[in-house]
Amino acid sequence: MFRLALTLTAFAASAAAAEPLGNATLAGQVVEIEFIPKGDAPAIGPRYAPVTIEFFCDLGDSASMRMHAMIAELAQRHPQRLRVVYRLARQ
């Protein structure tokens, strides 16, 4: 589980450092983005699980596929406590 948290943190940090959003050009500045999902997204796990992961993935990216493998393993270990919602980042 520590490896997953570390990977999620590293993935988020690398994605944030890749390209500044809007006027957020200063390091350490917080940017809030509203996400409005279009329809139902594929998901695994119970609807009212105490933990939900929204996984924004690119199916053509090897890092996304490795992350998917770790999340799937975590979901198998905790089938009643974890829900994973898949959002495609690139189509």
Side-chain angles (χ1 to χ4, degrees):
M1 184 136 87
F2 178 75
R3 186 174 78 181
L4 176 63
L6 182 61
T7 305
L8 286 174
T9 304
F11 181 72
S14 66
E19 184 176 318
L21 299 171
N23 293 330
T25 56
L26 300 175
Q29 189 172 2
V30 176
V31 176
E32 199 171 300
I33 299 172
E34 182 179 355
F35 174 73
I36 302 171
K38 297 177 184 175
D40 292 333
I44 58 172
R47 186 178 228 14
Y48 298 106
V51 176
T52 298
I53 296 174
E54 282 195 71
F55 180 43
F56 291 81
C57 60
D58 176 1
L59 298 178
D61 181 41
S62 62
S64 287
M65 298 315 293
R66 286 192 306 271
M67 183 68 68
H68 167 63
M70 287 188 281
I71 290 173
E73 181 181 339
L74 189 61
Q76 285 179 347
R77 289 182 184 182
H78 305 282
Q80 297 302 313
R81 299 186 307 177
L82 179 66
R83 176 177 172 79
V84 181
V85 179
Y86 292 91
R87 308 277 186 199
L88 294 179
R90 184 175 70 173
Q91 295 178 357

